[in-house]
Amino acid sequence: MPGPNPTEGLTMRAVGITRFGSPGELTPITVPRPAPLPTEVLVRVHAAGVNPLDWRTRAGLPTPAATALGAPPHILGWDVSGVVEQTGAGEFLFAPGDEVFGLLWLPRPAGAYAEFATAPSRQFARKPAAIGHDHAAAIPLAGLTAWHALTDIAALQPGQRVLIHAAGGGVGHLAVQLARHLGAHVTATASGAKHDWLRDLGAAEVIDYRATPFEKVAHDIDIVLDLVGMAQPDTAPRSLDVLRPGGLFIGIAPRRPDGFADRAASAGIRLAPEPLVEPDGHGLAELARLVDAGELSVHLDRVFPLDQAAQAHAHAENGATGKTVLRIAD
Ligand SMILES: NC(=O)c1ccc[n+]([C@@H]2O[C@H](COP(=O)([O-])OP(=O)(O)OC[C@H]3O[C@@H](n4cnc5c(N)ncnc54)[C@H](OP(=O)(O)O)[C@@H]3O)[C@@H](O)[C@H]2O)c1
């Protein structure tokens, strides 16, 4: 027989939507506090990261999460950093008081824009000691996207030449550092104002995609990581011109025009299946180790209080430099 639920009758602050639409649909609400099931942990959320997935889902656009979410009401958000409040039966990785961060439940709803969230313990890792909750909440989805692409998909080897498109974004600036850490020669595309920053993060070459076609500079590339996707649909086909035969194209949310696969095949270029990021506590533990070793840093653009989630979405949607975060507790 399950024991009494210690969170029964308790409520929490959250931000939800009752219909898809503009950032103004994000509304402060009070909802029941969740309780951890066996093998889960209940986390008091200190900060929640904002990703393009969040605002695209809020706007009612097709996203990997849209099917699982169904019709509103919803509490959005998948990235959290916080403190373990309570553990479920059989859970043995964490104890109350531990500081953890995680990408939760994706593509199912996680309800991260709230004071508490529950998820299986293995979706969390210990928060890097070197950074606070605001920075830690900015890492999971973007960091795991970059890490899975460069390690699991590309099996990146030292000395390989990597071209990262949209290197100035939330995923891109982490991918630059991770590729550099893995020993790659990194070429990055970004708007001009971000070039010094990206060089400091480890890019050997930076191309202003607005001023110079990247194929005039990049050549003999082993791996293209295209994070531009739908923002610039010709980035994927033009990338085939800079990859060496046997090279690998990884497109995160790319728009692949007709004939793209045939052109790649005839040039001897491999196309990775489009990846979708997923929860991965082990991957996060590796990212946390790199943060604490000074090998990886996340750039926060702005931090908003939870009740300003609408402003946070509007800000992120209009092109932040780095990550946007909601602070829920100090
Ligand atoms: N499938 C998945 O699992 C998954 C996971 C994470 C993200 N994503 C997708 O991946 C994309 C990137 O995510 P994100 O979080 O990094 O987004 P983000 O933080 O909004 O960054 C996007 C960046 O794209 C840059 N950009 C726009 N047009 C460009 C171009 N033509 N060439 C080079 N850079 C360009 C912009 O920087 P500048 O100032 O330099 O223009 C901007 O910083 C989004 O579409 C997101 O939905 C998919």
Side-chain angles (χ1 to χ4, degrees):
M1 285 282 287
N5 172 5
T7 64
E8 195 168 331
L10 299 177
T11 59
M12 64 175 182
R13 286 186 306 122
V15 164
I17 55 170
T18 53
R19 62 181 180 184
F20 296 121
S22 68
E25 297 298 337
L26 290 158
T27 311
I29 52 174
T30 300
V31 295
R33 192 186 291 189
L37 292 173
T39 73
E40 291 184 353
V41 293
L42 173 71
V43 168
R44 181 182 290 271
V45 181
H46 283 239
V50 175
N51 292 287
L53 173 72
D54 304 22
W55 55 259
R56 292 178 63 85
T57 304
R58 183 217 71 230
L61 298 169
T63 69
T67 309
L69 280 165
H74 299 306
I75 298 171
L76 295 173
W78 284 268
D79 273 345
V80 302
S81 182
V83 178
V84 173
E85 178 84 3
Q86 188 191 333
T87 58
E91 193 288 316
F92 58 87
L93 292 180
F94 303 108
D98 285 347
E99 295 191 309
V100 294
F101 70 142
L103 164 65
L104 309 185
W105 291 112
L106 191 67
R108 297 179 187 276
Y113 295 180
E115 288 181 293
F116 293 91
T118 54
S121 63
R122 281 163 200 279
Q123 298 190 1
F124 294 95
R126 286 175 196 279
K127 179 180 78 60
I131 57 174
H133 290 293
D134 292 346
H135 283 81
I139 292 176
L141 190 150
L144 287 174
T145 301
W147 185 245
H148 291 162
L150 295 169
T151 59
D152 296 343
I153 300 172
L156 178 61
Q157 299 300 310
Q160 286 192 308
R161 295 168 63 81
V162 179
L163 171 61
I164 299 172
H165 291 301
V171 179
H173 84 289
L174 298 174
V176 167
Q177 297 171 74
L178 293 171
R180 184 71 201 93
H181 165 73
L182 293 167
H185 176 279
V186 180
T187 303
T189 65
S191 53
K194 297 177 176 174
H195 286 201
D196 288 345
W197 172 55
L198 288 169
R199 279 195 197 91
D200 287 347
L201 294 182
E205 291 157 328
V206 191
I207 303 167
D208 182 349
Y209 63 89
R210 292 185 177 130
T212 309
F214 61 82
E215 52 280 46
K216 289 207 164 149
V217 179
H219 57 88
D220 296 315
I221 298 292
D222 295 290
I223 298 154
V224 168
L225 179 57
D226 176 10
L227 301 162
V228 173
M230 290 174 249
Q232 177 114 11
D234 68 351
T235 299
R238 287 167 51 212
S239 294
L240 299 182
D241 297 331
V242 304
L243 278 158
R244 65 163 177 81
L248 176 69
F249 175 87
I250 307 170
I252 309 280
R255 187 170 285 172
R256 297 176 178 190
D258 291 345
F260 181 64
D262 290 342
R263 256 194 72 205
S266 61
I269 291 165
R270 297 170 294 139
L271 299 183
E274 185 185 337
L276 288 176
V277 68
E278 59 182 309
D280 173 11
H282 280 298
L284 278 183
E286 186 59 19
L287 296 181
R289 192 186 66 72
L290 293 175
V291 171
D292 282 336
E295 296 274 323
L296 181 68
S297 63
V298 63
H299 180 76
L300 283 195
D301 186 278
R302 271 189 73 177
V303 179
F304 293 83
L306 177 63
D307 61 5
Q308 289 180 20
Q311 289 91 324
H313 269 220
H315 178 74
E317 214 168 325
N318 286 329
T321 297
K323 300 288 301 181
T324 305
V325 163
L326 296 173
R327 184 177 296 154
I328 297 169
D330 288 325

